[in-house]
């Protein structure tokens, strides 16, 4: 049935206009990258055609030889990149070339910094390389037809990149996509065969699809020559692959503009046979914390692209890893459902995780400065590991890094092995404190006795740390213990303090009793403690209760949590607490009691139920303290 040809003019999505503005004003520091991006898109289109043709061979339309052709016309001042891959229908053109059809668009633009190198890298990871055409072109024409659709379903898309584009239905015999770039003034350097072929070899040598160009000076009908190696790089012997080639493949796989920090390339043989090549990027993508985004590992079966889906090949806590898995044993018609229930996939996943963890362990041991960079970018994601991967919990724990009282800086450089090596004689626990910020953790009153005794405490202030310590119960035979949970007992340490070695006097017991009475609706108990030195009070929770920081995090996420009451521990020898014994006025005593509780709550990052009441009580007590000083000043004779 004939399709009515029609042409319409449409406006770009607002985000695309913003992106084009950045592109046209030379956001990319290296203009030649446009060719790499267009060739990469053509390669992806060929991969998609191969995959869909597994179930419908008719999509090849009698031509299964896939290739990308690059040409130029000096007189017309155009560059053409043509592929015979899957192509696009009209709606796909509208979706792919008029909008940024990805989640996280707003976050992407919020992440733009104005720094050229950083923003370039972000755009690459966002996968919008087609728009890089407008760096060198003031008009771009796209002609395309989807494989399997009739010639009457061809589509022409055209734009000058200024804010709008046109889409027209036309007749097109050839399947696939042709992109024609009408060059801007001053971009004639790209109208040169040697220059273009050099760019292809530089950026696209690793692509398994042949990239062809006609030799200059030859007849237009002459057979074009293949410019790139046109072989799957990962299939080659590691010794034959240069670092530049590895980096080139990474940029194609990850749509990144920076070289990777590290990679591991493995050929597995035996009961199953597969090849894996995994990369650690130099920077975290802007959507790293979007746990729903699972693209990063490309799955091939005997060099045929199957899926770009990390979900079945890499766990969530390693979602920053990019790379390729090529299996010789999986069926070519493997479906997403089969991936979920396939022993071979499970074995590949287990082997892949071990390879990546081994790579990270090697870097941590041999190149600590490089590992510090990896931790800065991906540490918070790795901290999800102990909860998700019980089989590798010990290995993941060895890769974790924390801030601690040993260095007292916010940098997370302390490994658990370092902590254990510095433990006091007789110490059996790894102590930690969790808080909403590093400063809140560093200045927590719970640390006073630990600092006094020279006992190191891990300072945990990432939100994920609460999740981590809930699942990482021990390391190297040493249990992890929160300094804010339960009664403190340091008697295990050689030369340590004896718990409750100073008896509580009758007078102090009476103060504790009165505090319990006043605060009975706010705390579970009031007791004396030896964990404090300079602070009058702190809040702790029972061993099996949820700690206050986790409770606050869950509430901020809209979770309903049972409000377990804390225990108020007071430093009975502190002047502020000792002075309460002399207050006979019960109203004034109650004000002091509430202030003691509220300052302890604020010290650990909590929120007051009645801030105005706190301010009123504080002002009343300050005025009371100020009156004697005012009266004394009034009685003093004036100076001569």
């Amino acid at each position: 049935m004939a399709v009515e040809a029609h042409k319409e003019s449409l406006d770009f999505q607002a985000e695309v206009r913003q992106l084009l503005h950045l592109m046209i004003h030379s956001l990319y520091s290296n203009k030649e990258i446009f060719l790499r991006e267009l060739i990469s898109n053509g390669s992806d289109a060929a991969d998609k055609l191969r995959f869909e043709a597994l179930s419908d061979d008719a999509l090849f339309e009698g031509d299964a030889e896939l290739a990308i052709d690059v040409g130029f016309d000096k007189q017309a001042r155009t560059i053409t990149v043509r592929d015979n891959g899957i192509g696009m229908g009209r709606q796909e053109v509208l979706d792919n070339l008029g909008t940024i059809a990805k989640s996280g668009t707003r976050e992407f633009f919020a992440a733009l910094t104005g720094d050229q190198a950083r923003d370039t890298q972000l755009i690459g990871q966002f996968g919008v390389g087609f728009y890089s055409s407008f760096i060198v072109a003031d008009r771009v024409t796209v002609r395309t037809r989807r494989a399997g659709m009739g010639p009457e379903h061809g589509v022409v898309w055209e734009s000058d990149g200024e804010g709008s584009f046109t889409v027209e239905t036309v007749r097109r015999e050839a399947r696939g996509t042709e992109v024609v770039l009408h060059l801007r003034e001053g971009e004639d350097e790209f109208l040169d065969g040697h220059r273009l072929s050099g760019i292809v070899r530089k950026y696209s040598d690793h692509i398994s699809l042949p990239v062809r160009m006609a030799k200059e000076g030859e007849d237009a009908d002459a057979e074009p020559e293949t410019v790139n190696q046109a072989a799957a790089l990962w299939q080659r012997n590691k010794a034959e692959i240069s670092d530049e080639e590895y980096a080139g493949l990474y940029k194609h796989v990850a749509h990144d503009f920076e070289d990777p920090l590290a990679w591991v390339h493995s050929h597995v043989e035996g009961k199953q046979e597969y090849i894996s090549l995994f990369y650690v990027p130099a920077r975290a993508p802007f959507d790293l914390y979007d746990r729903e985004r699972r693209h990063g590992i490309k799955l091939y079966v005997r060099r045929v692209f199957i899926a770009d889906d990390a979900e079945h090949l890499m766990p969530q806590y390693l979602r920053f890893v990019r790379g390729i898995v090529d299996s010789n044993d999986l069926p070519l018609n493997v479906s997403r459902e089969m991936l979920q229930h396939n022993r071979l996939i499970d074995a590949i996943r287990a082997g892949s995780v071990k390879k990546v963890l081994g790579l990270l362990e090697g870097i941590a041991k041999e190149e600590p400065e490089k590992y510090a960079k990896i931790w800065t970018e991906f540490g918070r994601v790795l901290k999800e590991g102990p909860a998700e991967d019980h089989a590798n919990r010990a290995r993941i724990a060895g890769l974790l890094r924390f801030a601690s009282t040993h260095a007292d800086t916010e940098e997370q450089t302390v490994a658990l092995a370092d902590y254990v090596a510095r433990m006091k004689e007789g110490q059996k626990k790894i102590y930690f404190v969790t808080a909403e910020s590093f400063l809140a953790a560093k200045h927590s009153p719970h640390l006073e006795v630990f600092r006094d005794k020279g006992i190191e405490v891990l300072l945990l202030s990432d939100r994920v740390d609460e999740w981590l310590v809930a699942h990482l119960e021990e390391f190297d035979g040493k249990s992890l213990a929160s300094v804010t949970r339960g009664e403190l007992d340091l008697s295990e340490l050689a030369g340590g303090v004896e718990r409750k070695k100073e008896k509580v006097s009758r007078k102090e017991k009476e103060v504790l009793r009165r505090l319990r009475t006043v605060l009975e609706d706010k705390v579970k108990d009031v007791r004396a403690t030896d964990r404090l030195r300079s602070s009058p009070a702190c809040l702790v929770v029972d061993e099996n209760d949820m700690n206050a920081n986790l409770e606050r995090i869950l509430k901020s996420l809209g979770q309903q949590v049972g409000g377990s009451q804390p225990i108020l521990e007071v430093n009975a020898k502190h002047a502020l607490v000792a002075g309460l014994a002399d207050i006979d006025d019960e109203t004034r005593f109650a004000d002091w009691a509430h202030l003691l509780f509220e300052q302890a709550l604020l010290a650990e990052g909590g929120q007051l139920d009645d801030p105005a009441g706190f301010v009123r009580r504080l002002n009343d007590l300050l005025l009371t303290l100020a009156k004697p000083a005012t009266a004394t000043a009034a009685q003093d004779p004036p100076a001569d």
Side-chain angles (χ1 to χ4, degrees), residues 439-506:
L439 289 178
K442 179 180 177 179
H443 296 138
S444 171
H446 296 87
L447 303 184
E448 290 174 10
V449 68
F450 292 91
R451 291 187 186 277
D452 188 43
K453 300 299 175 183
I455 303 169
E456 185 175 358
V457 179
L458 301 177
L459 307 175
L460 311 184
S461 55
D462 290 336
R463 280 197 164 195
V464 70
D465 287 331
E466 291 287 358
W467 179 254
L468 169 64
V469 295
H471 294 85
L472 185 63
E473 297 174 350
E474 63 90 28
F475 176 80
D476 195 21
K478 311 292 184 181
S479 61
L480 273 71
S482 170
V483 301
T484 67
R485 188 182 295 279
E487 291 196 59
L488 182 64
D489 182 5
L490 298 179
S491 59
E492 64 189 23
L493 302 179
V497 296
E498 291 293 337
R499 181 160 63 108
K500 301 286 188 295
K501 70 177 182 178
E502 290 191 43
K503 291 184 178 180
V504 180
S505 69
R506 183 178 299 177

Side-chain angles (χ1 to χ4, degrees), residues 582-604:
D582 299 325
I583 301 177
D584 296 325
D585 185 324
E586 292 302 328
T587 300
R588 190 177 179 209
F589 183 92
D591 283 345
W592 276 109
H594 281 99
L595 276 176
L596 202 63
F597 168 79
E598 288 164 340
Q599 69 158 344
L601 182 62
L602 289 172
E604 68 164 27

Side-chain angles (χ1 to χ4, degrees), residues 5-74:
H6 65 285
K7 183 176 183 178
E8 57 183 327
S9 181
L10 301 166
D11 290 332
F12 280 118
Q13 181 189 37
E15 287 85 352
V16 177
R17 290 199 297 272
Q18 185 178 349
L19 180 62
L20 287 170
H21 178 78
L22 292 169
M23 292 287 188
I24 294 169
H25 291 82
S26 300
L27 180 59
Y28 283 86
S29 57
N30 194 351
K31 293 181 178 181
E32 65 189 26
I33 288 175
F34 79 90
L35 187 57
R36 183 187 79 183
E37 292 299 301
L38 294 179
I39 290 174
S40 182
N41 289 346
S43 175
D44 289 345
D47 283 342
K48 291 174 183 176
L49 177 59
R50 284 197 190 103
F51 178 64
E52 292 194 19
L54 291 175
S55 55
D56 185 4
D57 189 70
L59 291 175
F60 280 128
E61 300 178 6
D63 177 17
E65 185 180 342
L66 303 179
I68 297 172
D69 290 286
V70 177
F72 63 96
D73 185 327
K74 286 186 176 180

Side-chain angles (χ1 to χ4, degrees), residues 628-639:
T630 304
T632 301
Q635 294 172 6
D636 288 340

